[in-house]
Amino acid sequence: DPVAVEYLESMVRSRPDDARLRLALARQQSKLGRLEDALATLEPLAASTDATVRREALAQRFEILRAAASELLIAARSVI
């Protein structure tokens, strides 16, 4: 939902250290196909002192990269 992304982006700007907001924003960006934005949103969480946050960010990053790889494979098949 683009409106949800706009809202979450605003919230993250005002509370950049809020890991839960970042995770939620990255999830929504990913759902909209904004994979690069989602990865950038997750980037600061890699340095979190909270192991649970790091694990959740890593899991989301994995899913985003998996989706991107899948898109590339589909695109490559259509060229062949």
Side-chain angles (χ1 to χ4, degrees):
D1 179 7
V3 174
V5 168
E6 286 182 34
Y7 174 76
L8 288 166
E9 286 173 338
S10 174
M11 293 296 294
V12 167
R13 278 192 297 277
S14 66
R15 296 170 39 194
D17 295 329
D18 189 321
R20 298 290 162 212
L21 284 175
R22 283 190 172 277
L23 290 166
L25 173 57
R27 195 173 302 112
Q28 291 301 317
Q29 289 169 322
S30 181
K31 285 181 183 177
L32 292 178
R34 293 175 48 186
L35 304 181
E36 289 182 28
D37 291 337
L39 291 172
T41 297
L42 292 171
E43 187 72 29
L45 300 181
S48 175
T49 58
D50 184 332
T52 301
V53 168
R54 284 194 317 271
R55 185 173 51 250
E56 288 181 32
L58 182 59
Q60 276 195 37
R61 184 175 170 82
F62 175 80
E63 288 303 318
I64 291 165
L65 293 173
R66 188 177 61 76
S70 180
E71 288 179 12
L72 286 173
L73 284 173
I74 291 168
R77 287 182 184 145
S78 68
V79 173
I80 296 175

